[in-house]
């Protein structure tokens, strides 16, 4: 026991004093910052400039009207966020109840219409100005997603058969992202086809926007024909308001809560994978290094193979825990710097995932996962004589270990479905999948059955690794082939030296 | 002092169809230095690994300090044949680490490590990482790691290999000191001069089998004394001298006529025969067989 502890301590010190450890510790916050900042940097972009050739004569205006509403909606949303941080809302509510109401529900069509009717961005900013907090920052208007540009003459007067060529020349100029051609018969006699020219058809935002605007215009035309009194009616702006409820949770109406409740297990499982693979790889390298320097022989003269393997495992778990603690602190620190409310939300989500019932299981799955991956890597290390040898075994092993990552989205779509229930019983992957599923309340039989399976797998692999380590750590032969590997594993189980 | 420290009885170790050690038995008593000799692949390292519990014998028994290895691991020091340490560890910490694994408290282990480093003139390198030491220094550090916990029984696998003559002499003195302090030492070596100078007893192994187990004198008694005669004339007539068992003619390797003498026969009859024939001699010596000769003879006989 004492020797296992001493070896664990030495392993811990050896790993945490390596440059690689510091780099991995630093890389995570940098990675998080990039993940957080890139969407911000790219939030205003890309801005798509387009033009319309409306040969039907009445649809360009409809698209531009929708464009104006789209800009107004973005302005109103941005103003709502700005007001939450910079305006004394209670005073605003008393003095400007209408504006306050718009800012509270900025996403409804009715609010957008009212916003446009009351002077838009400038009108709202003027109305807010007396209620700004002393620390208020200036408002930064969001950049429009789409910008309409007048069509160049070569498009305006291009005959239909040459239009594609003319559109290509216009797009090649780089000034326009897309050209929309509305034919003369559009909206007549069931003709509802427009032509959309763009150099990148995979970016469909503008196309979706234009299609929506034209659909609205067509619907209004129908209305104009059959119920003209309704065309400009407020009734058309009615939308369904949905109040969401999750009866399994107290006071949970927000879909964001449920999203975070799903994201947190994914994050935990992915962290398990990253930390396991990172540290288990170091474990493998350590064993290969000890084999190549013959330090392993000194260790074996001082301690039993079981003490050495368990010491190494404990050392790696300690490194993994330290890594997670530092990463968590860095993550929460960065979140607090960026937006303090996010920290509360994540804590709430963690609280809903790691409850009194599930926390012990989450920890158990985490440690089992770490030990399973660690055992596999340690066994590989004890069978390899050099890093090159280890790599030949590591590649296929990594493919096998990475498999669960490919199933995350499928599992999370239906955490208690057939696929999730089935793969949870695959011994190597049980801890990973059950971490993903535990917050979704899988059936008790599955929870306890897979927990027992995870524990049994972990115990077996630790025992098996001890045997493989004892039998192979002093050999200097070439690493085995896949068939040889399986044969060795089987023989190790039976307790025989290969 | 006749208390056995190490007892092997009919120890056999196989790797698949290959028998690395075959029914090996010998005993080593307290305070003695035993040379464990054998050509490459004789089974020396396998035997040492079995003594340390790194490998388990397929049959036979091993008792160390009256117990099994598991009970006395901390009372044994071991220097492996191929040296290596954690490259980024500092010298004193590396020695102390092994000593703590052998049961010492860390402060005491560090004190012992620094004392030994000072004794070996490596005081200035105590805080230097292993990767910053010369090969010889690193080997010394590993040797010190084997003895820092003050073991009763020290196993040294090829301790002289890789050391320069000065360091070899220093190591010889150190081994003698250990023996003088009552430690029991077993070392394997290829360098017969060291074994000849240091060992109280010898075990010679080849192909996993024991060829000889006894003192150097007992080994010498097994082989004839050897006379070397130098002359410009043909000395083939010496083959007829009573007591001369074998005559070897000079060769490119050695310029003398070599005569294997029967037990109890000295060189006077040889000298007399030469004088009778009027052969002027340029060289004459007679000496017991060297350990090198004994070793080579034993191994060749076994082959």
């Amino acid at each position: 026991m004492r020797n296992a502890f001493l070896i664990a301590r030495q392993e811990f010190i050896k790993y945490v004093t390596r440059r690689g450890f510091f780099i991995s510790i630093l890389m995570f916050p940098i990675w998080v910052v990039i993940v957080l900042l890139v969407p911000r940097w790219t939030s205003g972009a890309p801005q798509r400039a387009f033009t319309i050739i409306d040969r039907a004569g009445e649809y360009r205006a409809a698209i531009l009207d929708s464009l104006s509403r789209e800009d107004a909606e973005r302005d109103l949303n941005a103003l709502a966020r700005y007001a939450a941080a910079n305006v004394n809302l209670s005073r605003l509510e008393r003095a400007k109840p209408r504006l306050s109401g718009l800012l509270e529900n900025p996403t409804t069509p009715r609010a957008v219409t009212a916003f446009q009717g009351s002077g838009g961005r400038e009108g709202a900013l003027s109305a807010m100005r007396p209620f700004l907090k002393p620390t208020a920052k200036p408002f930064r208007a969001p950049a429009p997603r789409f910008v309409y540009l007048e069509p160049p003459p070569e498009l305006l007067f291009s005959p239909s058969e040459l239009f594609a060529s003319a559109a290509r020349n216009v797009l090649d100029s780089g000034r326009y992202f897309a050209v929309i051609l509305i034919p003369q018969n559009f909206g007549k006699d069931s003709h509802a086809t427009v032509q959309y020219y763009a150099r990148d058809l995979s970016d469909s935002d503008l196309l979706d926007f234009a299609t929506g605007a034209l659909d609205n215009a067509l619907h209004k035309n129908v209305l104009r024909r059959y119920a003209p009194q309704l065309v400009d009616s407020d009734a058309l702006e009615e939308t369904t308001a949905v109040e969401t409820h999750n009866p399994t949770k107290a006071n949970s109406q927000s879909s964001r809560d449920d999203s975070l409740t799903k994201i947190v297990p994914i994050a935990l499982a992915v962290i398990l994978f990253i930390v396991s693979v990172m540290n288990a790889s170091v474990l493998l390298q350590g064993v290969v290094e000890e084999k190549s320097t013959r330090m392993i022989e000194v260790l074996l003269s001082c301690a039993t193979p079981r003490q050495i393997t368990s010491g190494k495992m404990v050392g790696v778990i300690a490194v993994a825990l330290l890594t997670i603690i530092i990463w968590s602190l860095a993550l929460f620190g960065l979140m607090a710097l960026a937006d303090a409310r996010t920290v509360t939300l994540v804590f709430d989500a963690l609280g809903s995932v790691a409850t009194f019932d599930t926390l012990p299981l989450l920890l158990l799955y985490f440690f089992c996962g770490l030990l399973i991956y660690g055992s596999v890597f340690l066994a590989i290390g004890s069978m390899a004589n050099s890093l090159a040898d280890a790599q030949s075994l590591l590649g296929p092993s990594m493919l096998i270990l990475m498999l669960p990552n490919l199933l995350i989205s499928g599992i999370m779509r239906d955490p208690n479905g057939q696929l999730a229930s089935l793969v949870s019983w695959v011994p190597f992957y049980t801890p990973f999948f059950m971490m993903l599923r535990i917050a979704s309340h899988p059936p008790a039989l599955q929870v306890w059955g897979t927990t027992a399976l995870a524990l049994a797998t972990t115990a077996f692999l630790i025992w098996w690794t001890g045997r493989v380590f004892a039998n192979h750590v002093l050999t200097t032969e070439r690493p085995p082939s896949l068939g040889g590997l399986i044969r060795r594993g089987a023989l190790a189980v039976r307790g025989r030296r290969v | 002092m006749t208390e056995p420290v190490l007892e092997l009885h009919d120890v056999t170790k196989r790797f698949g169809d290959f028998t690395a050690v075959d029914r090996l038995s010998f005993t080593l008593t307290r305070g003695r230095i035993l040379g464990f000799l054998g050509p490459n692949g004789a089974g020396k390292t396998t035997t040492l690994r079995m003594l340390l519990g790194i490998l388990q014998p397929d049959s036979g028994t091993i008792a160390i300090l009256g117990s099994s290895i598991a009970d006395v691991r901390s009372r044994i020091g071991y220097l492996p044949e191929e040296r290596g340490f954690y490259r980024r560890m500092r010298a004193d910490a590396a020695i102390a680490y092994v000593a703590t694994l052998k049961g010492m408290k860390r402060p005491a282990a560090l004190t012992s490590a620094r004392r030994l480093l000072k004794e070996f003139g490596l005081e200035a390198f105590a805080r230097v990482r292993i990767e910053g030491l010369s090969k010889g220094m690193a080997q010394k550090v590993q040797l010190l790691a084997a003895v820092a916990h003050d073991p009763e029984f020290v196993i040294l696998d090829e301790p002289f290999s890789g050391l320069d003559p000065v360091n070899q002499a220093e190591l010889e003195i150190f081994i003698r000191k250990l023996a003088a302090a009552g430690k029991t030492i077993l070392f394997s070596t290829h360098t017969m001069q060291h074994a000849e100078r240091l060992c109280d007893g010898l075990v010679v192994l080849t192909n996993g089998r024991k060829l000889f187990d006894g003192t150097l004198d007992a080994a010498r008694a097994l082989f004839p004394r050897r006379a070397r005669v130098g002359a410009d004339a043909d000395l083939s007539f010496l083959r007829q001298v009573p007591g001369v068992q074998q005559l070897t003619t000079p060769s490119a390797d050695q310029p003398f006529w070599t005569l294997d003498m029967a037990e109890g026969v000295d060189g006077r009859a040889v000298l007399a025969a030469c004088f009778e024939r009027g052969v002027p001699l340029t060289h004459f010596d007679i000496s017991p067989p060297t350990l090198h000769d004994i070793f080579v003879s034993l191994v060749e006989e076994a082959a």
Side-chain angles (χ1 to χ4, degrees):
Chain A
M1 187 68 184
R2 181 179 177 272
N3 277 355
F5 167 75
L6 287 169
I7 290 167
R9 181 178 171 275
Q10 166 59 23
E11 292 288 308
F12 179 78
I13 293 170
K14 188 171 78 178
Y15 296 145
V16 298
T17 53
R18 285 188 180 201
R19 277 187 294 268
F21 179 76
F22 290 103
I23 292 169
S24 66
I25 289 293
L26 281 176
M27 277 313 291
F28 182 72
I30 292 171
W31 186 70
V32 170
V33 167
I34 290 170
V35 167
L36 289 177
L37 289 185
V38 164
R40 288 193 182 192
W41 290 333
T42 58
S43 60
Q47 198 172 56
R48 303 303 192 195
F50 70 105
T51 191
I52 305 165
I53 307 298
D54 182 9
R55 294 195 171 146
E58 55 183 305
Y59 293 99
R60 190 182 74 102
I63 293 175
L64 294 184
D65 183 49
S66 287
L67 188 60
S68 165
R69 279 187 71 83
E70 141 102 13
D71 291 345
E73 189 179 340
R74 285 165 61 81
D75 275 348
L76 182 56
N77 276 291
L79 280 167
R81 285 195 300 275
Y82 175 76
N86 297 288
V87 171
N88 187 328
L89 292 173
S90 54
R91 282 182 58 211
L92 181 72
E93 192 180 0
R94 282 195 297 275
K96 306 273 181 188
R98 200 153 164 265
L99 176 60
S100 179
L102 295 182
L103 296 173
E104 267 179 38
N105 292 300
T107 54
T108 62
R110 204 186 289 276
V112 177
T113 307
F115 174 68
Q116 283 180 302
S118 59
R121 184 201 307 157
E122 290 311 319
L125 279 173
S126 310
M128 273 185 213
R129 200 158 291 129
F131 310 101
L132 287 176
K133 291 176 185 172
T135 54
K137 295 169 188 167
F139 175 71
R140 288 177 63 190
R145 282 201 302 160
F146 312 118
V147 176
Y148 173 76
L149 300 177
E150 287 300 329
E154 63 263 40
L155 279 183
L156 272 176
F157 306 110
S158 173
S160 297
E161 65 274 15
L162 297 175
F163 192 85
S165 166
R168 191 179 62 218
N169 291 337
V170 166
L171 294 174
D172 282 348
S173 72
R175 192 164 171 235
Y176 298 87
F177 176 76
V179 173
I180 299 168
L181 172 64
I182 302 170
Q184 204 166 7
N185 59 355
F186 182 79
K188 292 170 192 152
D189 305 326
S190 301
H191 287 291
T193 304
V194 296
Q195 289 173 19
Y196 179 85
Y197 297 88
R199 295 186 66 180
D200 180 5
L201 291 174
S202 68
D203 185 339
S204 62
D205 286 356
L206 175 60
L207 178 61
D208 294 342
F209 164 74
T211 312
L214 288 169
D215 285 349
N216 274 338
L218 288 174
H219 296 159
K220 278 192 176 177
N221 279 350
V222 174
L223 271 178
R224 206 165 277 131
R225 197 174 307 150
Y226 297 107
Q229 73 282 6
L230 288 178
V231 171
D232 295 319
S233 157
D234 275 4
L236 284 182
E237 294 190 344
E238 286 295 344
T239 52
T240 309
V242 180
E243 274 187 7
T244 55
H245 295 274
N246 185 341
T248 62
K249 293 174 188 167
N251 303 323
S252 175
Q253 289 191 359
S254 161
S255 63
R256 200 169 169 185
D257 289 355
D258 275 353
S259 300
L260 276 173
T261 308
K262 282 195 172 184
I263 290 168
V264 166
I266 295 176
L268 288 175
V270 170
I271 284 175
L272 164 71
F273 181 78
I274 295 173
V275 168
S276 303
V277 169
M278 205 173 75
N279 290 294
S281 306
V282 177
L283 182 65
L284 180 146
Q285 285 172 22
V287 175
V288 172
E289 185 192 340
E290 283 169 353
K291 279 188 79 172
S292 62
T293 61
R294 290 281 154 184
M295 180 64 201
I296 202 71
E297 207 165 331
V298 176
L299 286 181
L300 283 167
S301 72
C302 303
T304 63
R306 198 76 66 196
Q307 287 170 337
I308 295 171
T309 50
S310 51
K312 284 179 177 296
M313 292 282 197
V314 172
V316 161
I317 286 178
V319 178
L321 289 179
L322 179 68
T323 308
I324 289 169
I325 289 169
I326 295 175
W327 281 2
S328 303
L329 290 175
L331 187 63
F332 281 112
L334 286 170
M335 281 194 298
L337 281 176
D339 183 359
R341 286 172 305 168
T342 318
V343 179
T344 318
L345 281 171
V346 171
F347 265 118
D348 288 348
L350 270 174
S352 64
V353 172
T355 60
F356 184 73
D357 296 334
T358 58
L359 184 63
L361 286 171
L362 274 173
L363 289 173
L364 186 95
Y365 293 142
F366 186 83
F367 285 120
C368 284
L370 203 54
L371 287 167
I372 286 173
Y373 289 162
S375 300
V376 171
F377 280 58
L378 190 55
I380 291 173
S382 52
M383 283 190 279
N385 295 318
S386 64
L387 279 178
D389 286 348
Q391 286 295 336
S392 68
L393 294 170
L394 202 54
S397 307
M398 281 299 291
L399 286 177
I400 295 168
L401 294 177
M402 277 174 70
L403 201 61
N405 292 287
L406 306 177
L407 299 176
I408 287 179
S409 62
I411 300 287
M412 292 317 289
R413 208 171 297 130
D414 188 4
N416 292 320
Q418 270 190 335
L419 174 70
S421 302
L422 190 71
V423 292
S424 299
W425 291 96
V426 180
F428 263 24
Y429 306 140
T430 301
F432 186 88
F433 288 129
M434 287 311 289
M435 279 182 86
L436 286 177
R437 295 180 60 202
I438 197 69
S440 306
H441 309 289
L445 177 68
Q446 286 189 29
V447 172
W448 297 117
T450 54
T451 302
L453 179 66
L455 282 169
T457 306
T458 308
F460 169 77
L461 277 175
I462 290 174
W463 172 83
W464 178 78
T465 302
R467 292 209 78 90
V468 171
F469 185 86
N471 286 339
H472 298 288
V473 78
L474 285 176
T475 58
T476 51
E477 62 207 56
R478 295 278 307 158
S481 62
L482 186 62
L485 195 67
I486 294 165
R487 206 164 46 249
R488 282 181 175 197
L491 287 171
V493 169
R494 293 209 294 271
R496 281 179 51 195
R497 173 77 166 75
V498 184
Chain B
M1 294 291 270
T2 55
E3 175 199 346
V5 167
L6 173 66
E7 289 173 286
L8 278 84
H9 182 68
D10 273 347
V11 170
T12 298
K13 180 68 191 175
R14 293 184 197 89
F15 296 108
D17 297 331
F18 174 69
T19 303
V21 177
D22 191 7
R23 285 171 292 154
L24 179 64
S25 302
F26 67 89
T27 301
L28 172 59
T29 52
R30 187 173 288 279
R32 293 176 69 83
I33 304 176
L34 179 76
F36 198 47
L37 313 179
N40 292 331
K44 301 189 298 292
T45 298
T46 301
T47 305
L48 298 188
R49 285 178 178 176
M50 285 193 284
L51 300 187
L52 292 157
I54 297 173
L55 296 173
Q56 296 302 315
D58 293 317
S59 61
T61 57
I62 299 172
I64 301 177
L65 296 162
S67 304
S68 69
I69 178 66
D71 301 324
V72 294
R73 214 183 280 274
S74 61
R75 293 159 66 189
I76 300 171
Y78 173 55
L79 176 74
E81 180 183 2
E82 290 175 70
R83 325 279 198 265
F85 245 133
Y86 294 121
R87 289 179 298 115
R88 290 177 54 76
M89 237 178 173
R90 300 188 193 283
D92 57 353
I95 297 169
Y97 175 52
V98 177
T100 53
L101 284 172
K102 291 287 190 182
M104 277 186 109
K105 300 276 184 207
R106 187 165 164 79
L110 267 174
T111 306
S112 172
R114 287 170 189 157
R115 179 182 55 76
L116 284 168
L117 284 166
K118 188 175 180 183
E119 202 176 311
F120 266 73
L122 294 173
E123 193 180 11
F125 298 93
R127 300 299 296 152
V128 174
R129 292 186 198 278
I130 299 293
E131 62 192 357
L133 299 175
S134 70
K135 190 182 170 195
M137 283 179 187
Q139 285 195 210
K140 275 188 190 173
V141 167
Q142 187 137 22
L143 172 72
L144 300 184
V147 297
H149 62 292
D150 195 25
E152 292 170 52
F153 178 32
V154 182
I155 298 172
L156 307 170
D157 196 357
E158 299 287 353
F160 297 98
S161 76
L163 291 178
D164 62 45
V166 174
N167 279 311
Q168 285 188 12
E170 209 173 313
L171 178 58
E172 259 192 51
I173 293 167
F174 184 68
I175 291 172
R176 280 186 210 285
K177 265 191 191 176
L178 288 175
K183 316 290 181 203
T184 308
I185 297 159
L186 181 147
F187 75 89
S188 76
T189 184
H190 286 115
T191 320
M192 297 303 144
Q193 297 92 318
H194 297 300
E196 201 160 17
R197 284 198 294 267
L198 283 169
C199 294
D200 303 311
L202 302 168
V203 169
V204 181
L205 209 63
T206 188
N207 297 326
R209 290 189 175 179
K210 186 175 78 176
L211 295 181
F212 177 80
D213 177 8
T215 62
L216 183 59
D217 287 342
R220 281 176 175 149
L222 292 176
F223 293 91
R225 297 205 305 163
R226 188 161 283 178
R228 294 187 303 166
V229 185
D232 293 331
D234 181 0
L235 301 183
S236 305
F237 63 88
L238 290 176
R239 200 171 276 124
Q240 312 305 322
V241 175
V244 173
Q245 292 179 323
Q246 193 179 331
L247 179 74
T248 310
T249 54
S251 65
D253 295 338
Q254 61 91 21
F256 305 119
W257 295 77
T258 309
L259 294 79
D260 288 349
M261 311 295 291
E263 197 176 347
V265 175
D266 58 27
R268 279 176 291 188
V270 173
L271 287 173
C274 290
F275 286 134
E276 272 173 25
R277 297 249 179 168
V279 175
L281 299 183
T282 56
H283 178 93
F284 182 85
D285 71 58
I286 186 163
S287 59
T290 63
L291 185 55
H292 177 269
D293 297 331
I294 294 168
F295 178 78
V296 171
S297 300
L298 281 170
V299 172
E300 279 178 356
E301 271 177 28

